[in-house]
Amino acid sequence: MHYAQYLKLDSILDAQKLESEKLGKVAHDEMLFIIIHQAYELWFKQILFELGSIKDIFQADEVDDLKLGTITSRLDRVNKILKLLVDQVTIIETMTPSSFLEFRNLLNPASGFQSLQFRRLETLLGLKYEDRSTIEKKFFNLRLTKQESSELNAALKEPTIKELLDIWLSRLDLIDSKGFSFWKTLRETVVGMFAQDELLIQNNITLDDKEKSAELENLKKTIESFNVLFDQEKFDKEKFTFSRKSMLTALFITLYQDYPLMHLPFKILNSFLEMDEWITKWRYAHALMAKRMLGGKIGTGGSTGHEYLKKTAQRHVLFKDLFKLNSFLIAKSQRPNLPEHIKNQMSYHYQVLKKNV
Ligand code: HEM
């Protein structure tokens, strides 16, 4: 096997055909523009490959505990790649808006809208067609080939990673609630914490009356959403995407994350939050870069450009329920004390062999 042959460098390195060159006048920065898009698409491929394997593990009738470590290390890898994708925006930003104008018209009407892999990535993670804004729906399938469209529509029918995570969490039977009222104690503690927050707002001399009532209103909403976790009827009326059981399980995992049995589940939850953050960071970085390149011009795909991209960044937080949970965290010292048999179940028991001196 030869290096170039194994890596198919012939095809890869022959895939940069500058439109400006075909017209007889090379626009220098078009090479960077092509290569950076290709690099992104290659990394999208790797991310889809990793997420696809995670989906397969979660999709099994019974998720194999021995594979949780594999899930966390692959999620970690995806997050490292996403970080790189955010950093890479700075490379495209070395191109000036006027250099971009040298070849921009030659791309029309090609656009990032047509990145099938990006759409598949959003879809696989859990972004539904109905979650998209009217304008996004309009562009969703537009100018995709028939083949791309049918691939995307097939992907939309598949269970998403977010749904599978919800099922996995709802199936975990972490606490044997018989004999102790964990949730009752937790509720009382969290309500006590909120009462302290209320006092802090009331006594804050830097806030005027209007600001105080706005903060108190916010706090009231947080308390209401916490209470909703304990009332199925109320829960069903709220816009949660996870089930109530999953939310409680995720809260338990987060509260007791330092117990060995909770390490991997906590790492998984945390990695999904981190992934959401990286994707949002990429959306904002890309939107800002588009603003810098285009000013108020519309995109080659026909959207309002920066405004459109900024709105998708604000709208598409996939794991918002998990972010919400962190409002209900309490100090470790205030956590309800678990019965010994549960503490035992959640711990490793290393046997320390004493040296015979
Ligand atoms: C000069 C550089 C770039 C500019 C000015 C730019 C601008 C835009 C604009 C205005 C849109 C909205 C759709 C439209 O009207 O065309 C868009 C969408 C998109 N672009 Fe870029 N882009 C640039 C580079 C990149 C790069 C390097 C990637 C990497 C793959 C990328 C990926 C995407 C994706 C995936 C979308 C769809 C986003 C969504 O619908 O949420 N863009 N881009």
Side-chain angles (χ1 to χ4, degrees), residues 79-291:
N79 283 334
K80 293 257 169 11
I81 299 173
L82 286 169
K83 178 182 184 307
L84 179 79
L85 297 190
V86 175
D87 290 346
Q88 243 172 229
V89 172
T90 58
I91 302 179
I92 190 87
E93 281 175 337
T94 60
M95 173 174 81
T96 63
S98 47
S99 313
F100 182 38
L101 285 176
E102 294 296 333
F103 61 91
R104 179 175 184 248
N105 281 344
L106 309 177
L107 317 173
N108 255 331
S111 147
F113 271 155
Q114 293 161 310
S115 170
L116 179 64
Q117 293 204 98
F118 185 74
R119 291 284 174 253
R120 280 185 46 215
L121 197 158
E122 292 176 306
T123 305
L124 174 60
L125 278 173
L127 192 60
K128 298 279 185 191
Y129 182 73
E130 52 276 19
D131 297 332
R132 296 181 183 273
S133 63
T134 319
I135 177 96
E136 280 179 80
K137 284 181 185 148
K138 184 176 148 201
F139 288 113
F140 189 66
N141 266 315
L142 202 76
R143 298 207 198 93
L144 291 188
T145 63
K146 256 197 178 152
Q147 167 72 24
E148 288 169 337
S149 253
S150 65
E151 230 181 275
L152 193 53
N153 288 330
L156 279 171
K157 291 186 191 117
E158 288 281 308
T160 69
I161 289 191
K162 187 168 134 185
E163 286 164 346
L164 295 169
L165 179 68
D166 181 21
I167 295 172
W168 177 67
L169 284 171
S170 69
R171 278 195 203 150
L172 289 182
D173 214 0
L174 292 179
I175 45 167
D176 157 20
S177 48
K178 277 173 257 134
F180 87 113
S181 48
F182 169 76
W183 296 114
K184 186 171 169 281
T185 320
L186 175 73
R187 214 169 151 181
E188 285 162 6
T189 318
V190 177
V191 167
M193 176 187 77
F194 286 139
Q196 276 179 358
D197 285 352
E198 190 177 336
L199 267 182
L200 280 180
I201 299 173
Q202 300 280 20
N203 296 333
N204 188 337
I205 49 168
T206 63
L207 298 175
D208 62 29
D209 284 350
K210 210 172 151 202
E211 287 163 338
K212 268 186 196 170
S213 57
E215 294 227 0
L216 287 170
E217 192 50 37
N218 266 340
L219 183 67
K220 203 173 131 203
K221 281 190 192 141
T222 312
I223 298 171
E224 273 162 18
S225 63
F226 178 67
N227 282 329
V228 157
L229 288 185
F230 303 96
D231 184 327
Q232 189 65 50
E233 233 173 84
K234 282 190 189 150
F235 185 89
D236 292 339
K237 287 186 197 138
E238 297 289 318
K239 285 188 186 142
F240 285 97
T241 49
F242 279 171
S243 69
R244 197 170 75 87
K245 172 83 195 314
S246 298
M247 292 293 282
L248 292 176
T249 306
L251 183 55
F252 186 86
I253 293 171
T254 313
L255 283 169
Y256 295 94
Q257 57 186 271
D258 47 342
Y259 279 85
L261 193 70
M262 297 298 126
H263 284 176
L264 287 177
F266 176 69
K267 233 183 150 245
I268 291 178
L269 295 182
N270 212 36
S271 296
F272 279 115
L273 286 188
E274 200 182 323
M275 195 179 296
D276 233 344
E277 282 186 359
W278 284 122
I279 296 176
T280 303
K281 279 180 188 161
W282 181 80
R283 287 188 194 273
Y284 276 115
H286 172 256
L288 270 178
M289 181 264 294
K291 185 178 186 181

Side-chain angles (χ1 to χ4, degrees), residues 33 36-37 40-41 44 92 95 100 110-113 115 118-119 122 136 282-283 286 289-290 293-294 298-306 308-309 312:
F33 188 80
I36 200 140
H37 277 84
Y40 268 101
E41 290 292 340
F44 289 161
I92 190 87
M95 173 174 81
F100 182 38
S111 147
F113 271 155
S115 170
F118 185 74
R119 291 284 174 253
E122 292 176 306
E136 280 179 80
W282 181 80
R283 287 188 194 273
H286 172 256
M289 181 264 294
M293 293 292 167
L294 305 174
I298 61 164
T300 46
S303 78
T304 51
H306 168 71
Y308 163 85
L309 294 168
T312 60

Side-chain angles (χ1 to χ4, degrees), residues 21-78:
E21 189 172 13
K22 288 184 202 160
L23 294 177
K25 191 165 183 279
V26 172
H28 180 87
D29 285 1
E30 195 184 349
M31 178 65 100
L32 174 72
F33 188 80
I34 293 176
I35 288 190
I36 200 140
H37 277 84
Q38 289 174 339
Y40 268 101
E41 290 292 340
L42 280 176
W43 283 123
F44 289 161
K45 183 168 182 172
Q46 183 67 33
I47 294 176
L48 284 167
F49 186 66
E50 303 296 350
L51 292 180
S53 73
I54 291 171
K55 180 187 167 197
D56 290 342
I57 298 175
F58 271 134
Q59 218 168 350
D61 286 341
E62 201 177 312
V63 177
D64 185 351
D65 286 349
L66 295 181
K67 292 195 175 143
L68 294 186
T70 307
I71 294 182
T72 55
S73 53
R74 289 185 186 163
L75 286 174
D76 209 28
R77 181 180 292 164
V78 169

